[in-house]
Amino acid sequence: MSKSYNAKDIEVLEGLDAVRLRPGMYIGTTGPKGLHHLIWEIVDNAIDEAANKNCDKITVTLHDDGSCSVQDNGRGIPVDEHPTLKVSGVEVVFTQLHAGGKFNNDNYAYSGGLHGVGASVVNALSDWLSVEVCKDGKRYAQNFSKVIEPSGKVRGGIPEGPLECLGETDASGTLVRFLPDKTIFETTVFDHEVVAKRLKELAFLNKGVEINFIDENVKTEQGIFETTYKYDGGIVDFVRYLNEGKNTLFADPLYIEGVKDGVVVAMALQYTDGYTDSVFSYVNNIPTTEGGTHEVGFKSAITRVFNDAARKNGNLKDKDANLMGEDFREGLTAVLAIKMKNVQFEGQTKTKLGNPEAKVAVESVVVEKLAELVSGRGNGKTVSAIIDKAMAAAKVREASRKAKEIARQKNSIENSTLVGKLAACTGKNVKNNELFIVEGDSAGGSAKQGRDRSFQAILPLKGKPLNAEKKRIDQVLLNEEIRTIISALGAGIGEDFNLNNLKYNKVIILADADQDGAHIRAILLTFFFRYMRELITDGHVFIGLPPLYKVSKRDVVEYVYSDAELPQVIERVGRGYALQRYKGLGEMNPEQLWSTTMDPKERTLVQVTIEDAAEADRLISTLMGDNVEIRKRYISENANFNKQDKVADTYLG
Ligand code: 28G
């Protein structure tokens, strides 16, 4: 290294050292989620530049060398010398640790202000990073890399030299390319679907911004994968997309926007003839899966506005009580996107907005603007359709309350017949007992024969259980597969759920390693997440991993649980081996199923976290929606719990 450092520089480098020492503090985790966080940090800076109207095109590329680049056509990061640090603005952005970045919520600015936050974190955690800036007719570049000092100390994000001018250009913007450091992350392979899904979401949330996605690792008939996301309708297009393939009650989503006390509010809504309540909310482009104060304000606002309209229209008479909030959410698809400063996230997955002022501001903007829209000429039919739908929902609500009451009493009698499909275990010690939910009758049969009946119970699932998202709760509860699970577990559901009554300590989902199996896993996780959340948070839910292959030679038999392991196992077994690929659980005989997947001494279980379940819920309900093709592709590529993706926790008896 030729460059000499002054005291200020050393301080900067120590800042980046801290990032490498405790990556989790800056990017949450060093798993796949943290890896993708690197992309989002850089993309966020480009999005900020777009939010300030200085840029309208962003290109994200996954390169075949494992690196990722992000390019924008904005103003370009400032290149002039920083007054106290005496290096270029570019070098400051990539080497100065900005106090805590996004994880210090006090510093989060939603527009302008804190540009470049997080870029230094990405630099610190990269093998190398290069930046190119086009600005004021010139092209500049600087490279950074990881170095090993003579003492053996490893440092990340060290400039290879100062920012250099490479020549002239007409262009303007910033290009950043980086290769994540393999010694920091559990995996450094970016996931195509994760990136595609988030970029599409950002394009919906940032109206008119063109986001291009190129993946050099995905080949199509036309060459390498390339696609463009650009939505001039913004969240109105998002709502249209969510309702694709559904019957909508009116053609164009209602859209309102406004600002109150520094909170910028935008909302689009449309009703379908379905029963689902699909409200998707965002704060500063971050999904708030668990909702929060902004959603509370939104819900209370639409209830008020539509009730007022129902009275004005004469649908509700003086003596009638108001319709309930839930009546106005049946069939509702809405996107609520707000921007504000000093966001406070709460909840189990830190995806719930806590700021009380957000409720006040959202409620006020939505009441004012939506009331105006609703009373406006030309919206009469739309408003009538909404009111009629809610009136019908209120009637069903009353009927369904009675039905549930009856169902509750009936349940205890019906349980005996429902649980007929269940092969219970003989042991009575709940702490030891395990319930296997097994995909398919044939695998269910093998599991029943292969199990240790003293503590293992088997519940075969015939087809796909009803998608928990698709129907109202009372219909979900009427689904036989789901009710069998509820009564087998014995702990109730929803508000009535009580862990103390749980009859099994482990609930193990056993499904094939294919698309249908992944779909079943996602549906079950969504169901547990919505109606038995504590089952997951208390650590009772597991995914069983069946082997994908058997490699054998004479008396040697080895089972292989992932494609990545296969070559090593084949090499170990050596010439003359026989290879069997298991297409499904059903192909295994009872002994094989026991020894590979059910025997606590041999099997591998992956414990389901609340984040896994929240993600399954989000995917089933948002970006997959009714679009079967997208869903299938997504699930087959992401929802498989295999050994590469997860830290497998082997049961140690
Ligand atoms: C392509 C990958 C990600 C960015 C800009 C533009 C400006 C900027 C970025 O300013 C302020 C200065 C140095 C720390 C602002 C340009 C005002 C005038 C900008 C990006 C604070 C940062 N002209 N475009 N940052 N710095 N795009 N895309 O990162 O001290 S970051």
Side-chain angles (χ1 to χ4, degrees), residues 42-43 45-46 49 70-72 74-78 82 89-90 92-94 98 113 115-116 135 174-176:
I42 302 298
V43 167
N45 293 333
E49 190 67 355
V70 181
Q71 180 165 30
D72 71 43
R75 293 166 297 178
I77 304 176
H82 189 279
V90 171
V92 171
V93 164
F94 286 92
H98 295 75
H115 237 144
K135 201 176 174 64
T174 305
L175 168 64
V176 176

PDB file of all heavy atoms in Angstrom, residues 42-43 45-46 49 70-72 74-78 82 89-90 92-94 98 113 115-116 135 174-176, ligand 1:
ATOM      1  N   ILE A  42     -27.190  -0.427  -1.375  1.00  0.00           N
ATOM      2  CA  ILE A  42     -26.752   0.341  -2.545  1.00  0.00           C
ATOM      3  C   ILE A  42     -27.968   0.813  -3.356  1.00  0.00           C
ATOM      4  O   ILE A  42     -28.053   1.973  -3.765  1.00  0.00           O
ATOM      5  CB  ILE A  42     -25.797  -0.518  -3.425  1.00  0.00           C
ATOM      6  CG1 ILE A  42     -24.571  -0.976  -2.601  1.00  0.00           C
ATOM      7  CG2 ILE A  42     -25.359   0.269  -4.652  1.00  0.00           C
ATOM      8  CD1 ILE A  42     -23.706   0.140  -2.072  1.00  0.00           C
ATOM      9  N   VAL A  43     -28.926  -0.112  -3.557  1.00  0.00           N
ATOM     10  CA  VAL A  43     -30.130   0.253  -4.318  1.00  0.00           C
ATOM     11  C   VAL A  43     -30.875   1.405  -3.629  1.00  0.00           C
ATOM     12  O   VAL A  43     -31.376   2.313  -4.285  1.00  0.00           O
ATOM     13  CB  VAL A  43     -31.052  -0.975  -4.504  1.00  0.00           C
ATOM     14  CG1 VAL A  43     -32.431  -0.563  -5.009  1.00  0.00           C
ATOM     15  CG2 VAL A  43     -30.416  -1.969  -5.473  1.00  0.00           C
ATOM     16  N   ASN A  45     -29.715   3.873  -2.039  1.00  0.00           N
ATOM     17  CA  ASN A  45     -29.095   5.161  -2.363  1.00  0.00           C
ATOM     18  C   ASN A  45     -29.527   5.639  -3.747  1.00  0.00           C
ATOM     19  O   ASN A  45     -29.756   6.831  -3.960  1.00  0.00           O
ATOM     20  CB  ASN A  45     -27.576   5.052  -2.285  1.00  0.00           C
ATOM     21  CG  ASN A  45     -27.112   4.804  -0.860  1.00  0.00           C
ATOM     22  OD1 ASN A  45     -27.790   5.198   0.097  1.00  0.00           O
ATOM     23  ND2 ASN A  45     -25.984   4.130  -0.703  1.00  0.00           N
ATOM     24  N   ALA A  46     -29.645   4.692  -4.679  1.00  0.00           N
ATOM     25  CA  ALA A  46     -30.112   5.045  -6.019  1.00  0.00           C
ATOM     26  C   ALA A  46     -31.586   5.464  -5.966  1.00  0.00           C
ATOM     27  O   ALA A  46     -31.998   6.427  -6.624  1.00  0.00           O
ATOM     28  CB  ALA A  46     -29.921   3.859  -6.970  1.00  0.00           C
ATOM     29  N   GLU A  49     -31.955   8.925  -4.756  1.00  0.00           N
ATOM     30  CA  GLU A  49     -31.645   9.873  -5.827  1.00  0.00           C
ATOM     31  C   GLU A  49     -32.859  10.012  -6.754  1.00  0.00           C
ATOM     32  O   GLU A  49     -33.156  11.101  -7.246  1.00  0.00           O
ATOM     33  CB  GLU A  49     -30.396   9.389  -6.585  1.00  0.00           C
ATOM     34  CG  GLU A  49     -29.784  10.358  -7.563  1.00  0.00           C
ATOM     35  CD  GLU A  49     -29.161  11.611  -6.946  1.00  0.00           C
ATOM     36  OE1 GLU A  49     -29.282  11.810  -5.721  1.00  0.00           O
ATOM     37  OE2 GLU A  49     -28.589  12.413  -7.709  1.00  0.00           O
ATOM     38  N   VAL A  70     -24.867  -1.931  -9.372  1.00  0.00           N
ATOM     39  CA  VAL A  70     -26.047  -1.069  -9.380  1.00  0.00           C
ATOM     40  C   VAL A  70     -25.647   0.226 -10.074  1.00  0.00           C
ATOM     41  O   VAL A  70     -24.584   0.783  -9.774  1.00  0.00           O
ATOM     42  CB  VAL A  70     -26.519  -0.759  -7.946  1.00  0.00           C
ATOM     43  CG1 VAL A  70     -27.774   0.112  -7.965  1.00  0.00           C
ATOM     44  CG2 VAL A  70     -26.780  -2.048  -7.153  1.00  0.00           C
ATOM     45  N   GLN A  71     -26.466   0.647 -11.030  1.00  0.00           N
ATOM     46  CA  GLN A  71     -26.163   1.871 -11.760  1.00  0.00           C
ATOM     47  C   GLN A  71     -27.367   2.796 -11.726  1.00  0.00           C
ATOM     48  O   GLN A  71     -28.497   2.335 -11.870  1.00  0.00           O
ATOM     49  CB  GLN A  71     -25.823   1.514 -13.211  1.00  0.00           C
ATOM     50  CG  GLN A  71     -25.488   2.721 -14.065  1.00  0.00           C
ATOM     51  CD  GLN A  71     -24.806   2.333 -15.359  1.00  0.00           C
ATOM     52  OE1 GLN A  71     -25.036   1.262 -15.892  1.00  0.00           O
ATOM     53  NE2 GLN A  71     -23.960   3.208 -15.867  1.00  0.00           N
ATOM     54  N   ASP A  72     -27.130   4.087 -11.523  1.00  0.00           N
ATOM     55  CA  ASP A  72     -28.230   5.043 -11.652  1.00  0.00           C
ATOM     56  C   ASP A  72     -27.807   6.180 -12.577  1.00  0.00           C
ATOM     57  O   ASP A  72     -26.628   6.369 -12.843  1.00  0.00           O
ATOM     58  CB  ASP A  72     -28.691   5.551 -10.280  1.00  0.00           C
ATOM     59  CG  ASP A  72     -27.702   6.483  -9.603  1.00  0.00           C
ATOM     60  OD1 ASP A  72     -27.138   7.376 -10.270  1.00  0.00           O
ATOM     61  OD2 ASP A  72     -27.493   6.331  -8.373  1.00  0.00           O
ATOM     62  N   GLY A  74     -28.363   9.382 -11.945  1.00  0.00           N
ATOM     63  CA  GLY A  74     -28.543  10.572 -11.114  1.00  0.00           C
ATOM     64  C   GLY A  74     -27.422  11.584 -11.289  1.00  0.00           C
ATOM     65  O   GLY A  74     -26.733  11.590 -12.313  1.00  0.00           O
ATOM     66  N   ARG A  75     -27.232  12.392 -10.247  1.00  0.00           N
ATOM     67  CA  ARG A  75     -26.244  13.472 -10.350  1.00  0.00           C
ATOM     68  C   ARG A  75     -24.819  12.982 -10.175  1.00  0.00           C
ATOM     69  O   ARG A  75     -23.862  13.693 -10.477  1.00  0.00           O
ATOM     70  CB  ARG A  75     -26.530  14.525  -9.266  1.00  0.00           C
ATOM     71  CG  ARG A  75     -27.827  15.275  -9.482  1.00  0.00           C
ATOM     72  CD  ARG A  75     -28.219  16.040  -8.243  1.00  0.00           C
ATOM     73  NE  ARG A  75     -28.478  15.133  -7.126  1.00  0.00           N
ATOM     74  CZ  ARG A  75     -28.808  15.540  -5.896  1.00  0.00           C
ATOM     75  NH1 ARG A  75     -28.899  16.834  -5.632  1.00  0.00           N
ATOM     76  NH2 ARG A  75     -29.047  14.660  -4.944  1.00  0.00           N
ATOM     77  N   GLY A  76     -24.674  11.747  -9.682  1.00  0.00           N
ATOM     78  CA  GLY A  76     -23.327  11.254  -9.387  1.00  0.00           C
ATOM     79  C   GLY A  76     -22.919  11.710  -7.999  1.00  0.00           C
ATOM     80  O   GLY A  76     -23.167  12.857  -7.619  1.00  0.00           O
ATOM     81  N   ILE A  77     -22.298  10.819  -7.246  1.00  0.00           N
ATOM     82  CA  ILE A  77     -21.855  11.167  -5.896  1.00  0.00           C
ATOM     83  C   ILE A  77     -20.827  12.301  -6.005  1.00  0.00           C
ATOM     84  O   ILE A  77     -19.972  12.260  -6.892  1.00  0.00           O
ATOM     85  CB  ILE A  77     -21.221   9.944  -5.195  1.00  0.00           C
ATOM     86  CG1 ILE A  77     -22.214   8.772  -5.174  1.00  0.00           C
ATOM     87  CG2 ILE A  77     -20.787  10.294  -3.773  1.00  0.00           C
ATOM     88  CD1 ILE A  77     -21.664   7.485  -4.581  1.00  0.00           C
ATOM     89  N   PRO A  78     -20.921  13.311  -5.150  1.00  0.00           N
ATOM     90  CA  PRO A  78     -19.974  14.433  -5.234  1.00  0.00           C
ATOM     91  C   PRO A  78     -18.518  13.972  -5.225  1.00  0.00           C
ATOM     92  O   PRO A  78     -18.151  13.050  -4.494  1.00  0.00           O
ATOM     93  CB  PRO A  78     -20.307  15.256  -3.989  1.00  0.00           C
ATOM     94  CG  PRO A  78     -21.756  14.974  -3.740  1.00  0.00           C
ATOM     95  CD  PRO A  78     -21.944  13.532  -4.115  1.00  0.00           C
ATOM     96  N   HIS A  82     -13.613  16.736   0.552  1.00  0.00           N
ATOM     97  CA  HIS A  82     -14.324  16.992   1.798  1.00  0.00           C
ATOM     98  C   HIS A  82     -13.479  17.955   2.634  1.00  0.00           C
ATOM     99  O   HIS A  82     -12.275  17.742   2.799  1.00  0.00           O
ATOM    100  CB  HIS A  82     -14.526  15.664   2.537  1.00  0.00           C
ATOM    101  CG  HIS A  82     -15.437  15.774   3.720  1.00  0.00           C
ATOM    102  ND1 HIS A  82     -14.991  16.241   4.937  1.00  0.00           N
ATOM    103  CD2 HIS A  82     -16.756  15.488   3.866  1.00  0.00           C
ATOM    104  CE1 HIS A  82     -16.003  16.220   5.792  1.00  0.00           C
ATOM    105  NE2 HIS A  82     -17.090  15.772   5.163  1.00  0.00           N
ATOM    106  N   GLY A  89     -15.568  13.295  -1.934  1.00  0.00           N
ATOM    107  CA  GLY A  89     -16.884  12.917  -1.402  1.00  0.00           C
ATOM    108  C   GLY A  89     -17.151  11.440  -1.613  1.00  0.00           C
ATOM    109  O   GLY A  89     -17.706  10.761  -0.741  1.00  0.00           O
ATOM    110  N   VAL A  90     -16.717  10.926  -2.775  1.00  0.00           N
ATOM    111  CA  VAL A  90     -16.913   9.506  -3.069  1.00  0.00           C
ATOM    112  C   VAL A  90     -16.227   8.646  -2.005  1.00  0.00           C
ATOM    113  O   VAL A  90     -16.828   7.726  -1.441  1.00  0.00           O
ATOM    114  CB  VAL A  90     -16.355   9.160  -4.479  1.00  0.00           C
ATOM    115  CG1 VAL A  90     -16.357   7.653  -4.707  1.00  0.00           C
ATOM    116  CG2 VAL A  90     -17.148   9.881  -5.555  1.00  0.00           C
ATOM    117  N   VAL A  92     -15.436   9.461   0.962  1.00  0.00           N
ATOM    118  CA  VAL A  92     -16.144   9.623   2.238  1.00  0.00           C
ATOM    119  C   VAL A  92     -17.338   8.672   2.301  1.00  0.00           C
ATOM    120  O   VAL A  92     -17.532   7.940   3.282  1.00  0.00           O
ATOM    121  CB  VAL A  92     -16.619  11.086   2.432  1.00  0.00           C
ATOM    122  CG1 VAL A  92     -17.538  11.195   3.642  1.00  0.00           C
ATOM    123  CG2 VAL A  92     -15.425  12.019   2.570  1.00  0.00           C
ATOM    124  N   VAL A  93     -18.111   8.655   1.225  1.00  0.00           N
ATOM    125  CA  VAL A  93     -19.317   7.826   1.197  1.00  0.00           C
ATOM    126  C   VAL A  93     -18.979   6.343   1.406  1.00  0.00           C
ATOM    127  O   VAL A  93     -19.708   5.618   2.078  1.00  0.00           O
ATOM    128  CB  VAL A  93     -20.078   8.042  -0.135  1.00  0.00           C
ATOM    129  CG1 VAL A  93     -21.102   6.943  -0.384  1.00  0.00           C
ATOM    130  CG2 VAL A  93     -20.755   9.411  -0.139  1.00  0.00           C
ATOM    131  N   PHE A  94     -17.843   5.896   0.860  1.00  0.00           N
ATOM    132  CA  PHE A  94     -17.528   4.468   0.932  1.00  0.00           C
ATOM    133  C   PHE A  94     -16.622   4.066   2.104  1.00  0.00           C
ATOM    134  O   PHE A  94     -16.387   2.879   2.305  1.00  0.00           O
ATOM    135  CB  PHE A  94     -16.944   3.983  -0.402  1.00  0.00           C
ATOM    136  CG  PHE A  94     -18.002   3.860  -1.453  1.00  0.00           C
ATOM    137  CD1 PHE A  94     -18.287   4.922  -2.304  1.00  0.00           C
ATOM    138  CD2 PHE A  94     -18.777   2.709  -1.557  1.00  0.00           C
ATOM    139  CE1 PHE A  94     -19.292   4.832  -3.247  1.00  0.00           C
ATOM    140  CE2 PHE A  94     -19.788   2.611  -2.492  1.00  0.00           C
ATOM    141  CZ  PHE A  94     -20.051   3.677  -3.339  1.00  0.00           C
ATOM    142  N   HIS A  98     -21.474   5.862   8.686  1.00  0.00           N
ATOM    143  CA  HIS A  98     -22.482   6.833   9.126  1.00  0.00           C
ATOM    144  C   HIS A  98     -23.193   6.268  10.326  1.00  0.00           C
ATOM    145  O   HIS A  98     -23.794   5.212  10.236  1.00  0.00           O
ATOM    146  CB  HIS A  98     -23.475   7.129   8.017  1.00  0.00           C
ATOM    147  CG  HIS A  98     -22.846   7.797   6.857  1.00  0.00           C
ATOM    148  ND1 HIS A  98     -22.053   7.109   5.963  1.00  0.00           N
ATOM    149  CD2 HIS A  98     -22.849   9.080   6.456  1.00  0.00           C
ATOM    150  CE1 HIS A  98     -21.606   7.956   5.063  1.00  0.00           C
ATOM    151  NE2 HIS A  98     -22.083   9.164   5.326  1.00  0.00           N
ATOM    152  N   GLY A 113     -31.084  14.434   2.340  1.00  0.00           N
ATOM    153  CA  GLY A 113     -30.405  14.296   3.622  1.00  0.00           C
ATOM    154  C   GLY A 113     -29.334  13.231   3.683  1.00  0.00           C
ATOM    155  O   GLY A 113     -28.180  13.496   3.382  1.00  0.00           O
ATOM    156  N   HIS A 115     -28.113  10.618   2.110  1.00  0.00           N
ATOM    157  CA  HIS A 115     -27.588   9.899   0.967  1.00  0.00           C
ATOM    158  C   HIS A 115     -26.297   9.154   1.297  1.00  0.00           C
ATOM    159  O   HIS A 115     -25.418   9.716   1.914  1.00  0.00           O
ATOM    160  CB  HIS A 115     -27.235  10.934  -0.081  1.00  0.00           C
ATOM    161  CG  HIS A 115     -27.935  10.670  -1.348  1.00  0.00           C
ATOM    162  ND1 HIS A 115     -28.387  11.680  -2.138  1.00  0.00           N
ATOM    163  CD2 HIS A 115     -28.272   9.535  -1.953  1.00  0.00           C
ATOM    164  CE1 HIS A 115     -28.954  11.159  -3.193  1.00  0.00           C
ATOM    165  NE2 HIS A 115     -28.908   9.859  -3.104  1.00  0.00           N
ATOM    166  N   GLY A 116     -26.165   7.932   0.820  1.00  0.00           N
ATOM    167  CA  GLY A 116     -24.890   7.253   0.959  1.00  0.00           C
ATOM    168  C   GLY A 116     -24.761   6.445   2.231  1.00  0.00           C
ATOM    169  O   GLY A 116     -23.800   5.726   2.414  1.00  0.00           O
ATOM    170  N   LYS A 135     -20.016  12.909 -13.861  1.00  0.00           N
ATOM    171  CA  LYS A 135     -20.508  14.169 -13.277  1.00  0.00           C
ATOM    172  C   LYS A 135     -19.822  15.336 -13.959  1.00  0.00           C
ATOM    173  O   LYS A 135     -18.615  15.299 -14.186  1.00  0.00           O
ATOM    174  CB  LYS A 135     -20.162  14.144 -11.773  1.00  0.00           C
ATOM    175  CG  LYS A 135     -20.981  15.080 -10.923  1.00  0.00           C
ATOM    176  CD  LYS A 135     -20.605  14.891  -9.446  1.00  0.00           C
ATOM    177  CE  LYS A 135     -21.299  15.920  -8.589  1.00  0.00           C
ATOM    178  NZ  LYS A 135     -22.752  15.845  -8.558  1.00  0.00           N
ATOM    179  N   THR A 174     -24.066   7.228 -11.183  1.00  0.00           N
ATOM    180  CA  THR A 174     -23.181   6.460 -10.316  1.00  0.00           C
ATOM    181  C   THR A 174     -23.283   4.982 -10.655  1.00  0.00           C
ATOM    182  O   THR A 174     -24.376   4.496 -10.949  1.00  0.00           O
ATOM    183  CB  THR A 174     -23.591   6.677  -8.832  1.00  0.00           C
ATOM    184  OG1 THR A 174     -23.601   8.078  -8.545  1.00  0.00           O
ATOM    185  CG2 THR A 174     -22.639   5.973  -7.878  1.00  0.00           C
ATOM    186  N   LEU A 175     -22.151   4.300 -10.652  1.00  0.00           N
ATOM    187  CA  LEU A 175     -22.131   2.853 -10.867  1.00  0.00           C
ATOM    188  C   LEU A 175     -21.303   2.228  -9.750  1.00  0.00           C
ATOM    189  O   LEU A 175     -20.153   2.614  -9.540  1.00  0.00           O
ATOM    190  CB  LEU A 175     -21.508   2.521 -12.235  1.00  0.00           C
ATOM    191  CG  LEU A 175     -21.150   1.062 -12.518  1.00  0.00           C
ATOM    192  CD1 LEU A 175     -22.390   0.181 -12.546  1.00  0.00           C
ATOM    193  CD2 LEU A 175     -20.411   0.938 -13.851  1.00  0.00           C
ATOM    194  N   VAL A 176     -21.900   1.291  -9.031  1.00  0.00           N
ATOM    195  CA  VAL A 176     -21.196   0.625  -7.937  1.00  0.00           C
ATOM    196  C   VAL A 176     -21.223  -0.877  -8.194  1.00  0.00           C
ATOM    197  O   VAL A 176     -22.272  -1.428  -8.530  1.00  0.00           O
ATOM    198  CB  VAL A 176     -21.880   0.914  -6.572  1.00  0.00           C
ATOM    199  CG1 VAL A 176     -21.196   0.145  -5.446  1.00  0.00           C
ATOM    200  CG2 VAL A 176     -21.880   2.408  -6.272  1.00  0.00           C
TER     201      VAL A 176
HETATM  202  C1  28G B   1     -25.436   3.276  -8.321  1.00  0.00           C
HETATM  203  C2  28G B   1     -25.479   2.853  -7.061  1.00  0.00           C
HETATM  204  C3  28G B   1     -26.109   3.535  -5.972  1.00  0.00           C
HETATM  205  C4  28G B   1     -26.069   8.292  -5.398  1.00  0.00           C
HETATM  206  C5  28G B   1     -25.862  10.513  -5.147  1.00  0.00           C
HETATM  207  C6  28G B   1     -25.908  11.854  -5.403  1.00  0.00           C
HETATM  208  C7  28G B   1     -25.483  12.736  -4.426  1.00  0.00           C
HETATM  209  C8  28G B   1     -25.024  12.223  -3.227  1.00  0.00           C
HETATM  210  C9  28G B   1     -25.394  10.090  -3.918  1.00  0.00           C
HETATM  211  O1  28G B   1     -24.620  13.051  -2.259  1.00  0.00           O
HETATM  212  C10 28G B   1     -23.716  13.543  -0.151  1.00  0.00           C
HETATM  213  C11 28G B   1     -21.364  14.025   0.018  1.00  0.00           C
HETATM  214  C12 28G B   1     -20.087  13.566   0.620  1.00  0.00           C
HETATM  215  C13 28G B   1     -21.269  12.634   2.463  1.00  0.00           C
HETATM  216  C14 28G B   1     -26.050  15.035  -3.778  1.00  0.00           C
HETATM  217  C15 28G B   1     -25.004  14.671  -5.846  1.00  0.00           C
HETATM  218  C16 28G B   1     -26.079  16.390  -4.045  1.00  0.00           C
HETATM  219  C17 28G B   1     -25.545  16.844  -5.247  1.00  0.00           C
HETATM  220  C18 28G B   1     -25.509  14.169  -4.678  1.00  0.00           C
HETATM  221  C19 28G B   1     -26.019   5.897  -5.551  1.00  0.00           C
HETATM  222  C20 28G B   1     -22.561  13.076   1.875  1.00  0.00           C
HETATM  223  C21 28G B   1     -24.117  12.482  -1.067  1.00  0.00           C
HETATM  224  N1  28G B   1     -25.015  15.974  -6.121  1.00  0.00           N
HETATM  225  N2  28G B   1     -26.234   9.495  -5.967  1.00  0.00           N
HETATM  226  N3  28G B   1     -24.969  10.915  -2.970  1.00  0.00           N
HETATM  227  N4  28G B   1     -22.446  13.156   0.455  1.00  0.00           N
HETATM  228  N5  28G B   1     -26.360   7.126  -6.022  1.00  0.00           N
HETATM  229  N6  28G B   1     -26.424   4.875  -6.308  1.00  0.00           N
HETATM  230  O2  28G B   1     -25.411   5.717  -4.521  1.00  0.00           O
HETATM  231  O3  28G B   1     -20.186  13.458   2.031  1.00  0.00           O
HETATM  232  S1  28G B   1     -25.442   8.404  -3.816  1.00  0.00           S
END
